[in-house]
Amino acid sequence: MSNINIKNLLACDMSRRGLVKSTAITSLALAAGGIALPFSRRAIASGVLAATAPHRQDQTIWSACTVNCGSRCPLRMHVVDGEITYVETDNTGDDQYDGLHQVRACLRGRSMRQRVYNPDRLKYPMKRVGARGEGKFERITWEEAYNTLAASMKDIIGKYGNEAIYLNYGTGTLGGTMTRSWPPGSTLIARLMNCCGGYLNHYGDYSTAQITEGLNYTYGGWADGNSPSDIENSKLVVLFGNNPGETRMSGGGVTYYLEEARKKSNARMIIIDPRYTDTGAGREDEWIPLRPGTDAALVAALAHVMISENSVDQPFLDKYCVGYDEKTLPAGAPANGHYKAYILGSGPDGIAKTPQWAAKITGIPADKIVKLGREIGQAKPAFIAQGWGPQRHANGELTSRAISMLSILTGNVGISGGNSGAREGSYSLPFVRMPTLENPVQTSISMFLWTDAIFRATEMTAKRDGVRGKDKLDVPIKFIWNYASNCLINQHSEINKTHDILQDDKKCEMIVVIDNHMTSTAKYADILLPDCTASEQMDFCLDASCGNMDYVIFADQVIKPRFECKTIYEMTTELAKRMGVEAQFTEGRTHEQWMRHIYQQSREAIPELPEFDEFRKQGIFKKRDPEGHHVAYKAFREDPVANPLTTPSGKIEIYSAQLAEIAANWELEKDDVIDPLPIYAAGFESHVDPLIEQFPLQLSGFHYKSRTHSTYGNVELLKAACRQEMWINPIDAKPRGIGNGDVIRIFNQRGEVRINAKVTPRMMPGVVALSEGAWHAPDTKMVDHAGCINVLTTQRPSPLAKGNPSHTNLVQVAKV
């Protein structure tokens, strides 16, 4: 029987049994390897269905995809004789949008078999025998690995203190409970280190550093947003760099809610992005391409239109906000230091932020800006939201605060159908996480500056480098824990510089990597430990950034750990023994006993949860938001006196006195701007930087369908389905002689990448785009041939958050 006939036969059989709705879809899934066949290999080879074989032991066990995509998806793993044969997703609930709908995994989660059985799997503990980065290792026993690490920790703590030990940023198992890899304080590595005197902590993250810090000064703390399900009450949806169609694709993600809610409200959707994303793909009403890093200039011009035409919500601004105009400007602020003066040109710079002014900066025609300003000013309620792309720039803190101003000016904050201008929020269940104890070390650094903390630690200060907990660092990082993370190399900026820093093992003396695969980062380990995949251990998997239904997945152990892989709890328990803190670390509980303990606590907070063993069979627990939809700052809007924000004034701070003080006292580099108002400032490596004469194209990154950051980046079938390419407009490609599919050089002063070109009008002229997360593959001259954008990004941090400006890059492109 031919392969194609087998596929058609299986597709018909699966369709008939209700496993899929289309034989075409089934055949595609079979070809892509996302769903393996529910038949034995021998039966397929002979053309006989495995269902006729009476001896096989077929089980269906619940598991999950726990990666950091902003959603978590249940996987129903079909196991025959101890081997995963194919993967399905959620089949529970009534599958109605307003009910307990099915949470269907995307192509990434459905390819889980390809991760579990990948040839890159780490099989046993190893130690480095070559230079860091060469990937040369020799096999060692677990006993030797544990003893080496315990001895290294004791030595480094004895010489330098616990601040010399650092937990690197990593979100490879973000959905897990026992296996959670970030934030550092919530990991089992942190629990171990807290039993041993603590560690150097970090703040911020590679996804949201600038928006987290920026909007903290507007709303206080993490800026909340309405759930995307609430769009069913909106008249207009405006998305700044928000692309759930490629980042949060699953049935538990934002894409599903966005589309289903818009069906109910028929809200117009406007997408503002330099790249025409799949979130649009014909579903949007308007795409407005915008020059990267100029969102704040566009917002200022939109504000000029709304203020000039009297379409701002003045009562809201008077009652709930600080610093819009002279009436609410705080004491000590300069005259005309308010937002309205900045927009109309009576502020310190004397420039009116007209649509004509913004057109030259943003690349958007002035008449288009006027039309958009009128539409936003008149539509209410309006769901205005930003993704995390706009803030991932050199001026990202200002950008995030500026975009939120559209919601504030129009009074769309705290109401159903509106939003805060931040990213969407969600309803969440109070499920208990693994306790990790308190860190005795109070010092922390920005997660982006760990490389600096290796080679210039004692120069790093609070006012120049954002050190927290003390005025300056006293010791460099000497020991790095890198758990479920490719951020040591692949996801950190300026890879060639990082390579040089890490190769000197007299600076950082020990790097331990705990992972599933031989990633780009794993090649820089001194000790390399093979972790179990989600399919090889038991855990609870929690949802994230969803809509008005939350859920918890019981991710059971599907198969026995492959090779010599161990769970993170096993590893940390063995290290705790050797560090003399086992009793404090385990509290006498095994992995499963901890899960039962956590679950019992969670049942006290969520009484509807079934018994542990019942939940284990059930696989997923879902619950709808009893309020209907999550509305950010609803209580504040209803009574701002009884429910103040956590800002100093208790109100929305358009003018921040705290930022004014920081701006006056911090040491800032040229082109770095911190301001009490959400102004526009170009920042470094912008479209007006003199460097553009040498590198005339702006390079922006984006998240890609075939990977979650770098996770799944070694699954060949996904790589073939979604090729790594650099997007370029025909206007920029033609004078360079670049055709679609040509191999090109992308280069700047930091390095060079060679990859194929995707010539498309879906990219704004003057801008090129390269998806992040491709696994770094350098040649002997450190030229990357995989399309890893971080060869080209900078380690210079943003001004306030000291975050990663991953989308602020100037490059040149040439045909090879």
Side-chain angles (χ1 to χ4, degrees):
M1 184 181 292
S2 70
N3 286 339
I4 189 67
N5 288 337
I6 291 172
K7 287 179 184 176
N8 289 338
L9 176 61
L10 299 180
C12 292
D13 180 74
M14 293 174 76
S15 179
R16 188 168 56 250
R17 289 186 291 132
L19 296 178
V20 293
K21 296 182 180 178
S22 161
T23 56
I25 292 174
T26 306
S27 297
L28 177 62
L30 294 172
I35 303 176
L37 313 181
F39 311 102
S40 73
R41 292 190 179 96
R42 180 178 299 174
I44 290 172
S46 63
V48 180
L49 294 183
T52 64
H55 66 276
R56 84 172 191 166
Q57 297 180 355
D58 194 346
Q59 293 178 289
T60 303
I61 303 172
W62 285 88
S63 184
C65 177
T66 61
V67 300
N68 179 18
C69 70
S71 181
R72 313 284 176 256
C73 288
L75 302 175
R76 296 169 58 245
M77 315 292 272
H78 290 254
V79 181
V80 176
D81 297 333
E83 182 175 341
I84 302 168
T85 55
Y86 71 109
V87 179
E88 291 183 295
T89 186
D90 186 21
N91 65 347
T92 66
D94 50 24
D95 203 27
Q96 298 296 315
Y97 169 63
D98 292 328
L100 298 177
H101 64 78
Q102 291 180 9
V103 182
R104 296 174 181 169
C106 76
L107 74 168
R108 297 181 294 232
R110 291 173 193 247
S111 73
M112 185 60 75
R113 287 179 63 254
Q114 308 299 325
R115 290 198 70 227
V116 174
Y117 298 114
N118 197 287
D120 281 336
R121 276 297 296 270
L122 298 175
K123 299 178 175 65
Y124 32 73
M126 295 187 287
K127 69 177 180 182
R128 174 173 61 89
V129 293
R132 282 183 183 154
E134 286 186 337
K136 294 180 180 179
F137 297 93
E138 69 177 19
R139 183 176 182 174
I140 58 175
T141 64
W142 275 104
E143 192 73 12
E144 182 180 350
Y146 293 141
N147 291 340
T148 300
L149 291 177
S152 178
M153 275 195 286
K154 290 174 182 178
D155 178 60
I156 287 172
I157 291 171
K159 288 179 181 176
Y160 305 100
N162 283 73
E163 279 187 20
I165 296 184
Y166 182 67
L167 275 59
N168 196 37
Y169 179 88
T171 60
T173 58
L174 197 59
T177 300
M178 297 293 290
T179 61
R180 192 177 188 183
S181 61
W182 189 85
S186 299
T187 68
L188 285 171
I189 304 289
R191 183 177 175 90
L192 170 66
M193 291 313 308
N194 289 339
C195 293
C196 300
Y199 58 94
L200 177 64
N201 207 340
H202 68 242
Y203 62 86
D205 61 77
Y206 285 76
S207 293
T208 70
Q210 288 91 314
I211 191 173
T212 298
E213 196 67 16
L215 288 187
N216 170 49
Y217 292 96
T218 301
Y219 289 108
W222 175 268
D224 197 8
N226 288 32
S227 65
S229 58
D230 193 34
I231 289 172
E232 67 181 55
N233 298 307
S234 305
K235 292 183 178 178
L236 176 68
V237 176
V238 182
L239 302 179
F240 281 79
N242 195 341
N243 180 28
E246 291 175 273
T247 59
R248 297 181 175 181
M249 305 178 292
S250 74
V254 177
T255 304
Y256 177 75
Y257 288 94
L258 175 64
E259 289 307 309
E260 292 296 326
R262 283 185 65 221
K263 286 179 185 176
K264 287 194 163 191
S265 65
N266 200 30
R268 272 177 51 82
M269 184 167 74
I270 299 170
I271 293 176
I272 301 170
D273 200 300
R275 189 175 68 96
Y276 183 58
T277 68
D278 283 8
T279 298
R283 291 181 292 271
E284 86 293 347
D285 292 281
E286 189 171 10
W287 169 47
I288 301 177
L290 170 93
R291 186 172 283 131
T294 65
D295 307 71
L298 172 61
V299 169
L302 296 174
H304 192 281
V305 172
M306 289 187 280
I307 293 170
S308 300
E309 299 185 359
N310 199 31
S311 61
V312 300
D313 190 334
Q314 190 68 49
F316 177 84
L317 295 166
D318 290 343
K319 182 176 181 180
Y320 297 95
C321 304
V322 168
Y324 168 70
D325 55 21
E326 202 73 40
K327 297 194 298 292
T328 58
L329 198 61
N336 286 329
H338 50 83
Y339 185 75
K340 186 175 181 179
Y342 166 71
I343 297 298
L344 298 181
S346 57
D349 66 3
I351 300 172
K353 310 308 180 296
T354 64
Q356 292 74 22
W357 166 84
K360 297 175 184 177
I361 298 170
T362 62
I364 302 172
D367 59 347
K368 178 76 71 177
I369 295 174
V370 172
K371 178 177 176 292
L372 181 60
R374 287 172 178 166
E375 184 169 9
I376 293 174
Q378 294 167 9
K380 196 169 184 177
F383 184 91
I384 301 164
Q386 58 185 300
W388 293 336
Q391 59 89 46
R392 213 171 287 124
H393 279 272
N395 58 4
E397 296 92 349
L398 291 170
T399 295
S400 63
R401 294 175 63 218
I403 294 172
S404 73
M405 282 303 302
L406 293 177
S407 294
I408 295 166
L409 289 168
T410 54
N412 273 296
V413 180
I415 63 172
S416 183
N419 191 35
S420 62
R423 189 152 194 176
E424 62 280 342
S426 66
Y427 168 65
S428 60
L429 290 165
F431 199 89
V432 178
R433 296 276 197 172
M434 178 73 181
T436 53
L437 310 177
E438 186 175 344
N439 186 357
V441 174
Q442 299 301 306
T443 316
S444 63
I445 60 172
S446 163
M447 87 293 152
F448 187 55
L449 294 184
W450 63 269
T451 40
D452 290 58
I454 291 175
F455 74 91
R456 65 173 194 93
T458 56
E459 301 171 17
M460 294 176 67
T461 69
K463 292 184 178 180
R464 185 173 62 241
D465 305 288
V467 174
R468 296 182 181 176
K470 57 168 54 175
D471 292 335
K472 63 183 291 295
L473 285 187
D474 295 323
V475 296
I477 293 172
K478 290 292 183 179
F479 187 114
I480 293 178
W481 286 102
N482 191 89
Y483 165 50
S485 168
N486 206 0
C487 286
L488 202 66
I489 281 290
N490 212 79
Q491 302 304 100
H492 190 56
S493 294
E494 204 165 348
I495 285 177
N496 292 340
K497 180 179 178 180
T498 304
H499 168 83
D500 292 341
I501 293 168
L502 293 183
Q503 279 230 312
D504 186 350
D505 55 14
K506 292 182 177 60
K507 288 188 172 77
C508 181
E509 298 174 15
M510 172 60 72
I511 298 175
V512 53
V513 172
I514 304 171
D515 216 318
N516 302 134
H517 303 97
M518 183 59 79
T519 64
S520 307
T521 285
K523 294 176 182 178
Y524 287 78
D526 296 306
I527 297 292
L528 190 50
L529 303 180
D531 192 17
C532 289
T533 63
S535 303
E536 296 163 322
Q537 59 189 312
M538 183 194 297
D539 204 358
F540 299 120
C541 181
L542 307 187
D543 180 30
S545 298
C546 191
N548 61 347
M549 182 185 81
D550 198 19
Y551 53 89
V552 183
I553 306 163
F554 196 119
D556 209 343
Q557 183 179 6
V558 178
I559 58 174
K560 292 180 180 180
R562 302 193 73 212
F563 315 113
E564 292 186 17
C565 297
K566 293 186 182 295
T567 68
I568 188 65
Y569 189 73
E570 288 179 277
M571 296 181 213
T572 46
T573 297
E574 288 296 325
L575 286 166
K577 286 181 185 177
R578 288 158 177 80
M579 298 297 289
V581 294
E582 181 185 6
Q584 183 184 5
F585 179 80
T586 66
E587 296 183 24
R589 296 187 180 97
T590 64
H591 182 124
E592 182 172 335
Q593 286 170 339
W594 267 113
M595 286 189 63
R596 289 180 179 273
H597 176 69
I598 290 168
Y599 191 73
Q600 188 56 41
Q601 292 177 317
S602 298
R603 289 192 73 206
E604 293 173 11
I606 314 167
E608 305 97 314
L609 281 171
E611 292 285 345
F612 183 91
D613 293 316
E614 182 184 345
F615 183 34
R616 192 172 191 172
K617 296 176 184 177
Q618 180 177 313
I620 187 169
F621 170 82
K622 305 170 184 175
K623 184 178 179 181
R624 278 279 172 188
D625 186 344
E627 299 294 322
H629 305 284
H630 177 68
V631 177
Y633 306 113
K634 180 181 179 182
F636 168 71
R637 183 68 183 260
E638 291 172 348
D639 190 340
V641 176
N643 305 292
L645 302 180
T646 57
T647 57
S649 65
K651 296 185 176 184
I652 297 169
E653 297 202 347
I654 300 171
Y655 181 100
S656 168
Q658 286 181 310
L659 285 176
E661 184 178 354
I662 290 171
N665 290 290
W666 277 23
E667 301 172 36
L668 299 174
E669 292 188 45
K670 182 180 180 294
D671 297 323
D672 280 353
V673 175
I674 296 175
D675 196 275
L677 291 174
I679 68 168
Y680 167 70
F684 57 84
E685 282 200 43
S686 70
H687 69 289
V688 294
D689 192 310
L691 193 62
I692 205 160
E693 295 298 321
Q694 185 179 359
F695 302 113
L697 295 171
Q698 289 183 275
L699 170 66
S700 181
F702 63 96
H703 294 347
Y704 205 31
K705 292 175 289 188
S706 63
R707 299 182 298 270
T708 300
H709 305 302
S710 70
T711 307
Y712 293 106
N714 60 336
V715 175
E716 293 298 328
L717 293 163
L718 293 181
K719 289 164 69 175
C722 306
R723 295 177 61 195
Q724 182 73 355
E725 302 166 310
M726 188 206 74
W727 292 37
I728 184 170
N729 189 281
I731 293 171
D732 297 314
K734 186 175 180 180
R736 292 171 171 83
I738 296 171
N740 193 50
D742 285 348
V743 179
I744 55 172
R745 299 172 58 220
I746 320 166
F747 59 96
N748 60 16
Q749 70 275 35
R750 293 181 284 269
E752 179 176 328
V753 170
R754 297 194 179 190
I755 197 71
N756 298 93
K758 179 185 178 75
V759 180
T760 172
R762 291 176 62 177
M763 198 70 238
M764 181 180 185
V767 186
V768 293
L770 186 63
S771 58
E772 56 88 42
W775 287 21
H776 182 227
D779 59 23
T780 55
K781 296 181 180 179
M782 294 302 288
V783 174
D784 172 66
H785 293 266
C788 184
I789 191 174
N790 283 320
V791 171
L792 304 162
T793 55
T794 179
Q795 285 188 12
R796 178 175 170 178
S798 66
L800 180 64
K802 306 304 178 188
N804 49 305
S806 306
H807 303 331
T808 295
N809 312 286
L810 293 177
V811 299
Q812 179 58 289
V813 174
K815 183 177 178 180
V816 173

